[in-house]
Amino acid sequence: MIAVVGAGLMGAATAWQLARRGHEVTLIEAYDIGHRHGSSHGSSRIIRRAYADPFYVGLTGQAYEQWRELEQDSSTPLLRTTGGLDMGEDRDTKAIAELLSAAGVSHELLSPEEAAERWPYIRITGPVLHHPDAGVVDADRTVAACVRRAIEHGAEAIIGTRVTGIDVQGGERVLLRTDDGREVLADTVVIAVGAWLPELELPVPPPTLEVTQQQVFHFPQRDPSLRWPTLIWDGALHLYGLPSGSDGGPLPTFKVAEHDRGTPTTARTRSGVVDASSRTRVSGFVRDRLPGLEPDPVAEATCLYTTTPDEDFVLDRHGPFVIVSPCSGHGAKFTPLIGAMAADLATGRAEPHPRFRLGRTAFTRR
């Protein structure tokens, strides 16, 4: 039996992948499905192929295939194509375009004038990379679909129950104890607990992780009929933007947030209070660069990033444990692919990729 601890995006996707392959699976989640205590809640995440790293460009292609499989298996639409823009004085759009060309990914390099004509509600002063297949993933719906289909494929789900003890028996099997007195004996345990990973006492080498509290802001569209693309901006600020979905309220809004400058915290001690200085910076950016939006947010929220020093993921096996931490603020777009990779590790079908190993020492930021 394979136990999966954590039913956020990655744990839920792993349980789905394992169960649909016919494995005996027990999924354990400390909170309700779709809870807001971690990194997997909300209606909007960016999906794109525009990375400044050929390794991730390749992974995004595999991820798109897995998303379509999940949509088909669950009969649930999860992706919405909007197109995506990469820009900013520190964003090397030409280099990214070359990587997309090498991978056969559709894209356009546009001058400021060409881009401004197409998106007049964005103030554009530099070159723009347009990636038409970029879009938005509904995280809440994804978690719900994965858990539902995992159960329908035969998985057992233990919800609202926290793992409080982990004992390796004979070096092979693992006994999990929960806060309601339950004991679960597993041959393999997949740990997908997000920001709780640094606090979980595991008999494996701990990965180097930093947990930060981030904040996101939702700004009303001045023209509700416009279809906004996703946005990556690298300059004095490092931001991302995307259509909000239901998180922004009943009227069309656009979600904008800083990718960096989070406040160090832990999963247990996060304040949940939005950083006012981030609100000021993001609102200033909206006022200056996104004239198609009202500059005052109508909704805001906090979430957690769990970041490695090089921003690569942790996806490795150590004895009977598979550690799954596709994190660093860019993992959501890979959800069903990470589920497949974790399932391969749990069943011995594949070896960990060197860039995702627990013990890698060449931590250099991408």
Side-chain angles (χ1 to χ4, degrees):
M1 192 272 287
I2 302 172
V4 179
V5 182
L9 284 167
M10 304 311 165
T14 302
W16 166 65
Q17 293 279 18
L18 286 166
R20 75 175 183 141
R21 296 179 186 182
H23 296 284
E24 183 183 358
V25 180
T26 299
L27 178 63
I28 307 173
E29 168 55 51
Y31 297 99
D32 293 332
I33 300 301
H35 67 82
R36 308 183 74 81
H37 300 285
S39 307
S40 296
H41 60 278
S43 60
S44 55
R45 297 289 192 281
I46 291 177
I47 183 168
R48 60 189 173 91
R49 299 204 61 189
Y51 268 81
D53 183 335
F55 174 67
Y56 281 103
V57 174
L59 283 186
T60 57
Q62 298 174 51
Y64 269 82
E65 295 173 3
Q66 292 289 334
W67 279 109
R68 297 308 180 194
E69 286 194 26
L70 175 56
E71 287 185 316
Q72 182 176 6
D73 184 69
S74 64
S75 301
T76 305
L78 301 171
L79 308 184
R80 181 161 64 94
T81 301
T82 63
L85 307 181
D86 285 65
M87 64 181 76
E89 59 267 26
D90 292 341
R91 194 72 171 165
D92 192 341
T93 54
K94 183 178 179 181
I96 296 173
E98 290 174 353
L99 292 176
L100 295 182
S101 293
V105 179
S106 176
H107 67 281
E108 302 172 276
L109 266 179
L110 303 173
S111 69
E113 295 76 21
E114 291 171 323
E117 183 176 356
R118 197 177 302 185
W119 298 282
Y121 43 88
I122 302 174
R123 190 169 77 84
I124 298 171
T125 57
V128 171
L129 174 67
H130 174 228
H131 165 27
D133 292 332
V136 178
V137 170
D138 189 313
D140 282 338
R141 187 175 292 181
T142 298
V143 170
C146 285
V147 173
R148 174 174 59 82
R149 287 302 289 151
I151 293 171
E152 290 170 352
H153 283 300
E156 177 185 4
I158 303 173
I159 308 303
T161 301
R162 185 178 298 277
V163 172
T164 55
I166 301 175
D167 296 323
V168 179
Q169 298 191 336
E172 295 181 354
R173 306 187 80 186
V174 180
L175 182 67
L176 301 176
R177 295 184 174 87
T178 65
D179 58 2
D180 64 352
R182 196 182 315 234
E183 293 186 345
V184 176
L185 187 62
D187 300 292
T188 302
V189 178
V190 178
I191 303 294
V193 295
W196 279 265
L197 184 54
E199 303 177 38
L200 199 61
E201 294 184 3
L202 292 172
V204 302
T208 302
L209 298 172
E210 180 185 35
V211 178
T212 55
Q213 180 174 277
Q214 310 288 138
Q215 34 274 313
V216 300
F217 306 93
H218 302 273
F219 299 88
Q221 295 182 198
R222 294 186 189 273
D223 182 348
S225 68
L226 290 177
R227 286 175 51 87
W228 281 68
T230 66
L231 173 67
I232 300 294
W233 177 278
D234 281 341
L237 297 176
H238 300 275
L239 303 104
Y240 61 91
L242 64 159
S244 299
S246 60
D247 289 347
L251 298 177
T253 59
F254 195 71
K255 172 181 169 181
V256 186
E258 294 180 293
H259 179 64
D260 53 1
R261 303 200 193 196
T263 303
T265 187
T266 71
R268 294 183 185 276
T269 62
R270 62 180 292 190
S271 69
V273 177
V274 169
D275 180 357
S277 65
S278 181
R279 185 191 303 114
T280 298
R281 288 189 297 270
V282 173
S283 293
F285 175 85
V286 170
R287 187 174 290 106
D288 179 45
R289 290 286 179 175
L290 305 179
L293 303 176
E294 297 286 352
D296 297 317
V298 293
E300 57 189 26
T302 65
C303 64
L304 296 175
Y305 273 14
T306 310
T307 305
T308 62
D310 58 5
E311 296 187 8
D312 279 342
F313 306 148
V314 175
L315 188 60
D316 198 359
R317 176 153 191 158
H318 189 280
F321 296 97
V322 175
I323 309 301
V324 180
S325 184
C327 47
S328 300
H330 69 110
K333 66 179 70 65
F334 299 99
T335 294
L337 174 61
I338 296 299
M341 295 171 74
D344 286 345
L345 291 177
T347 56
R349 291 179 58 180
E351 292 294 316
H353 192 283
R355 286 183 63 165
F356 295 160
R357 283 194 175 275
L358 274 166
R360 65 187 189 266
T361 57
F363 272 126
T364 56
R365 186 170 294 277
R366 288 191 296 113

